[in-house]
Amino acid sequence: MEPTGWIKDVYDWIQANPNWTGILILLFAFTESILLVGIIFPGAAFLVSLGALIGLGVLDFYSAWIWASIGAFLGDGISFWIGYKYKQNLLKMWPMYKFPDLIAKGQSFFAKYGGISVFIGRFVGPVRPIIPALAGTMDMPVKRYVIISALASILWSPFYLLPGMLFGSAMDTMAKVAVKLSILVVVLVASIWIVYWLINLLYQLLVPKTYHWLSALLRWTQRHPKLGRLTSGLVDPRQPEKGSLAMLAVLLFIFLVAAIWFFAINATLLRWNQSAESFFYTFHNPWTVLPMKWLLFLGHDLSLLVLTLAVSLWFIYRRMNIVLNHWLLVSITAYAFSVLMCRVGHDQWHFFADHHVFWFVSLACFWAILVAGAFPIKFRSWPYVLAGIIILLFSFATLFFFKMNLAMISLSILIGSIWAMVIGIAYRTRSRKQFLGLPVKITYITTLLLMPFMTWFLFSSTTLVDKPEWLNQQNTAKTTGWANNGEQTLDITIHSDLNTLEQQLLTHGWVKHQPRTWGNVYLAMKTDPESDDLPLFSYVHRGEVETLLMTKQQGDKLVALRVWRDGVADGSIIWRGTLTIHKKDTDLYLFNHWGYKDNLIDKSILISSLNDSIFNIDQLSDGTLSIASKKP
């Protein structure tokens, strides 16, 4: 894929002016190494970018290495000379005295490692801009400095160039592979940032007032002994909590039923749900399904059950009965709420599922309440931030696989967090003492991260994408190419047994391929570009790879037939397909594959392989090809 626009202009200028490019590299490396200037100058980032250009074949690696090494050596040399000339007085001069912390770190670093710190410091960002100058102030022998600095500069340049080279080498192919996945990741990262900002904001606004609100609630329960029964068990340790929690649970369930009923009849919310489903549907392809499935398994019932038991065992071991009782209460009641929500919202009982968002939210929020108190005050919001992020990840995956709609997930997050907070208040009322949260944090996080692997092993093959009916009814006559890149018209209709078609093509020299996605990338990285056995990437149609993928070599080109199941008519399966032509595509060092060239309008290569068989073949004026089995 050739660069276009202003990017192409930059590439062309670099290739047309290699000497000026070398001087530019030298200046960047030199400026990045000057005393204090390197603090604000992004020289290392520039070298990584240069590495990407090298990986794309725009720059020569060895020239860039030499120029960058010379620039780094000269910049460090100027800094050393300044320190050697002014000695300790340098530390009192402007702007050096403006950076006492940096000077202290540099002196400590130099005192710890001695002369070798000049070498180590070249690779350590925080002290790199000051170490050569400090070496000069401490009268490091010039000859020793020159040897160490020259060696460090020579090794430092490829240290920053190579990551960019690998990225640049992979960028062209991976951009095509991961275009949809990249967008999905960007959306997810942006959502994580919003959750992080929102939770921190709410924490700062609400926590200082929480004690005042709870005190006011306690006074209210004392003034209203009858109505106060609803909350007295939460804020008054002298009152039993069971009655209050039971009444609140009933009220929450009534609210949930009313909210679900309202969601089902509200046209605006239905449109929002369909918009969310349509959004995630456009991202469905094998490149996105695999990582999103792992996120879905974060909240699988098996994961949550093992998580509940693992944390409970720690509480039993430490004989922490109060917190154990509340932890089990949260888990059991949240599971019950989740099952009841599915029964009311989906009209089905889901006793063992992978979309009990209410259960997941309640456990995550209550865990944050338990361990937050063990943190220093300024870090106390972090458990809530982490809980919010993992809730977002699981909810995102639940939406992606259409397990629940947007309204139901939002309701589960809202009520699940409230329920966890209610039980958390009841727990804190009866146990003011903070316990060491580290074992609980380690147990919770470790189990949360490891269980998806076990769940994947047990349930990956049975976890299906439950597309909404209105999405299933959508029809399109195009495939979105490999990794959703480009569009190819499905202009071949097959009314026949696919195995019979496959056997006929095999006898005429066609080769069958197993459709693959992530595996193709691995093969593309290790294949000899001169070989004919290059990987051919799978295409995606309505979120699925080909049912049948067959190819036939035609000179230095490759013709590919791709077939998908399209539906059922009169008891027979209808198949849709397309013919595409490919050429050898080599993306420099790593990726070698059959790259897409064009749609194949002339279907003669396919027709000639089927003409003498048991098929009726009709080619319409618009180029559409119809293949049907001959009637006996």
Side-chain angles (χ1 to χ4, degrees), residues 197-208:
W197 172 81
L198 186 61
I199 291 177
N200 270 303
L201 178 64
L202 291 175
Y203 188 86
Q204 294 172 9
L205 291 175
L206 299 180
V207 169

Side-chain angles (χ1 to χ4, degrees), residues 4 97 130 144 184 210 223 260 296-297 322 336 364 371 376-377 385 435 456 558 579 600-601 630:
T4 58
Y97 68 84
I130 198 171
R144 186 183 181 196
L184 200 64
T210 302
R223 291 197 305 269
I260 293 171
L296 182 71
F297 289 153
I322 295 179
V371 303
I377 293 177
V385 170
F435 64 90
W456 187 295
L558 190 74
L579 280 177
L600 193 60
I601 305 300
K630 290 181 179 179

Side-chain angles (χ1 to χ4, degrees), residues 5 64 111 177 193 213-214 225 241 255 290 320 323 341 376 440 463 572 581 586 617:
V177 170
W193 184 88
W213 289 341
L214 292 177
E241 61 180 332
F255 174 78
L290 288 179
M320 303 171 69
V323 66
M341 283 184 67
V440 178
T463 300
S572 300
I581 190 164
T586 301
I617 302 174

Side-chain angles (χ1 to χ4, degrees), residues 42 89 203 290 301 352 451 454 477 550 584:
N89 291 330
Y203 188 86
L290 288 179
D301 280 5
F352 190 72
M451 277 309 300
M454 177 62 71
M550 301 190 74
K584 290 183 179 181

Side-chain angles (χ1 to χ4, degrees), residues 562-606:
R562 305 167 188 276
V563 180
W564 288 265
R565 176 172 173 154
D566 192 60
V568 178
D570 299 328
S572 300
I573 300 176
I574 300 175
W575 307 90
R576 299 287 295 276
T578 182
L579 280 177
T580 52
I581 190 164
H582 302 262
K583 62 182 178 64
K584 290 183 179 181
D585 195 355
T586 301
D587 292 314
L588 296 174
Y589 303 101
L590 295 178
F591 294 97
N592 312 287
H593 61 279
W594 286 108
Y596 169 75
K597 183 179 180 183
D598 203 354
N599 271 21
L600 193 60
I601 305 300
D602 180 8
K603 310 256 185 329
S604 58
I605 187 173
L606 178 63

Side-chain angles (χ1 to χ4, degrees), residues 7-189:
I7 298 178
K8 185 177 185 303
D9 294 336
V10 173
Y11 288 1
D12 291 343
W13 185 89
I14 291 174
Q15 289 177 321
N17 301 275
N19 294 329
W20 282 106
T21 305
I23 294 174
L24 191 62
I25 294 171
L26 183 147
L27 290 176
F28 267 85
F30 175 81
T31 308
E32 195 267 347
S33 304
I34 291 292
L35 176 64
L36 294 181
V37 177
I39 298 175
I40 58 174
F41 191 77
F46 175 75
L47 285 179
V48 174
S49 302
L50 285 175
L53 295 180
I54 295 170
L56 289 168
V58 180
L59 284 178
D60 176 64
F61 169 67
Y62 295 103
S63 298
W65 184 359
I66 292 171
W67 284 112
S69 299
I70 293 173
F73 178 74
L74 293 177
D76 280 352
I78 294 295
S79 300
F80 176 80
W81 176 82
I82 293 173
Y84 197 81
K85 177 178 176 62
Y86 292 100
K87 299 295 189 290
Q88 295 298 322
N89 291 330
L90 175 65
L91 306 182
K92 302 175 185 178
M93 298 169 62
W94 183 92
M96 289 292 289
Y97 68 84
K98 294 284 189 179
F99 300 91
D101 292 339
L102 181 61
I103 292 172
K105 288 180 181 178
Q107 289 176 327
S108 175
F109 192 84
F110 198 87
K112 182 176 181 180
Y113 297 104
I116 199 66
S117 62
V118 173
F119 181 89
I120 300 174
R122 171 109 300 263
F123 299 89
V124 180
V127 295
R128 185 190 311 138
I130 198 171
I131 282 294
L134 289 179
T137 62
M138 297 182 179
D139 288 323
M140 182 177 179
V142 176
K143 185 176 180 180
R144 186 183 181 196
Y145 166 80
V146 169
I147 294 173
I148 295 176
S149 179
L151 181 61
S153 299
I154 292 172
L155 296 178
W156 169 79
S157 301
F159 183 80
Y160 282 91
L161 289 172
L162 286 174
M165 288 172 60
L166 292 174
F167 173 77
S169 175
M171 187 168 59
D172 193 24
T173 295
M174 291 307 292
K176 292 183 283 187
V177 170
V179 59
K180 290 284 185 175
L181 181 60
S182 300
I183 296 173
L184 200 64
V185 169
V186 168
V187 173
L188 189 56
V189 170

Side-chain angles (χ1 to χ4, degrees), residues 289-290 293-294 296-306 351-355 401 403 450-466:
V289 166
L290 288 179
K293 186 178 286 188
W294 190 87
L296 182 71
F297 289 153
L298 284 174
H300 193 281
D301 280 5
L302 178 63
S303 299
L304 299 183
L305 178 62
V306 173
F351 292 105
F352 190 72
D354 51 13
H355 58 273
F401 287 104
K403 299 297 183 179
L450 292 181
M451 277 309 300
F453 294 103
M454 177 62 71
T455 310
W456 187 295
F457 176 75
L458 294 174
F459 302 107
S460 181
S461 60
T462 59
T463 300
L464 304 176
V465 180
D466 302 321

